[in-house]
Amino acid sequence: MIVEETVISPEELKAAQYFHGHQCPAMPQGLRAGHLAMDILGVTRARGGGELVAIVETGDHHFSGCFVDGVMFATGCTVGKGNLVRKPFGKFAVTLVEPSTGRAVRVTPRYARMSQCLTMDFFKLRAEGVPPYELDPGVVEPLIQDVLTKPWDEIFQVQTFSHYPYQKVPEVFDAVQCSRCGELVVSSYATSYDGQWYCPPCLDEMLHALDSQSR
Ligand SMILES: [Zn+2]
Ligand SMILES: [Zn+2]
């Protein structure tokens, strides 16, 4: 596959590192994977929640989870806009979907690449509990340059889809007042019970209270 790949500028890398909080190789890997997916689809960064959806497969509390922050920064698919979907599989992949056409591309770092990472000094130090921001830049910087400059197909493998099964969920612009706590709750999250609206935690509390009364 021939790809006109977007070059990640030093300014973009710097801004992404500011957003991310430290310098590490996993965030730039996600940054490049996000750009690669956009380049293959021929799309530009998401401004709203509808143009693109990124499905990421990293889980919680494991090495290289920083990958996702790079994906978010590159693609504009973020938690707040609701176009970042998490499938916590403990894998390093992003699938970028264009909902209007159903076209999608899944980008994942190659096995050889990721498994090699595990034996590097960077990961040994991280596994020993050294936080990434305390690591010697001399250890980190070459890894960042490597992930940004190697030919993409040495690092990543890609799959393309012409009809990715993605169900578009409409945005809700409605809310009600919870009759128990008095707070505002988006109507799709509220439940009506005995003619009153309840937010999820209040509904749970009320149902448990009913349960203890009936015993
Ligand atoms: Zn990081
Ligand atoms: Zn409530």
Side-chain angles (χ1 to χ4, degrees):
M1 191 189 293
I2 312 273
V3 182
E4 243 347 291
E5 205 187 345
T6 300
V7 177
I8 294 163
S9 67
E11 292 74 34
E12 180 174 1
L13 177 65
K14 224 175 144 194
Q17 285 169 332
Y18 175 77
F19 165 71
H20 181 52
H22 62 241
Q23 301 194 1
C24 66
M27 188 284 289
Q29 191 173 51
L31 193 66
R32 193 166 176 197
H35 273 293
L36 183 63
M38 288 195 293
D39 291 338
I40 292 171
L41 283 180
V43 295
T44 52
R45 195 171 192 263
R47 294 162 303 171
E51 309 109 298
L52 295 174
V53 173
I55 302 166
V56 291
E57 299 178 26
T58 47
D60 290 314
H61 315 299
H62 63 64
F63 71 92
S64 291
C66 304
F67 180 84
V68 178
D69 283 0
V71 169
M72 286 206 284
F73 197 88
T75 62
C77 294
T78 59
V79 176
K81 292 203 285 297
N83 50 359
L84 186 90
V85 177
R86 300 194 66 211
K87 288 189 180 174
F89 295 156
K91 296 177 76 171
F92 302 91
V94 52
T95 303
L96 194 67
V97 187
E98 186 183 46
S100 62
T101 61
R103 294 188 311 132
V105 56
R106 182 173 181 268
V107 176
T108 182
R110 293 182 180 278
Y111 176 80
R113 176 90 192 173
M114 283 309 282
S115 53
Q116 190 186 47
C117 283
L118 287 173
T119 61
M120 285 176 179
D121 285 349
F122 175 84
F123 279 90
K124 281 189 201 143
L125 291 165
R126 291 282 296 110
E128 284 162 14
V130 181
Y133 49 84
E134 280 178 11
L135 283 170
D136 177 1
V139 174
V140 188
E141 193 51 40
L143 301 176
I144 296 173
Q145 284 316 312
D146 183 70
V147 81
L148 291 177
T149 54
K150 273 259 164 69
W152 71 265
D153 54 355
E154 278 181 35
I155 301 180
F156 300 108
Q157 59 188 43
V158 301
Q159 291 164 267
T160 55
F161 304 86
S162 46
H163 302 286
Y164 194 86
Y166 173 74
Q167 206 70 47
K168 217 178 153 183
V169 184
E171 265 182 88
V172 175
F173 284 93
D174 242 358
V176 294
Q177 186 179 25
C178 172
S179 62
R180 199 159 191 264
C181 67
E183 290 182 358
L184 188 97
V185 55
V186 173
S187 49
S188 55
Y189 285 82
T191 303
S192 168
Y193 181 79
D194 265 352
Q196 306 269 25
W197 285 108
Y198 293 93
C199 73
C202 288
L203 180 74
D204 268 357
E205 265 182 52
M206 189 204 47
L207 293 175
H208 284 99
L210 286 179
D211 186 51
S212 56
Q213 275 164 18
S214 65
R215 261 188 258 141

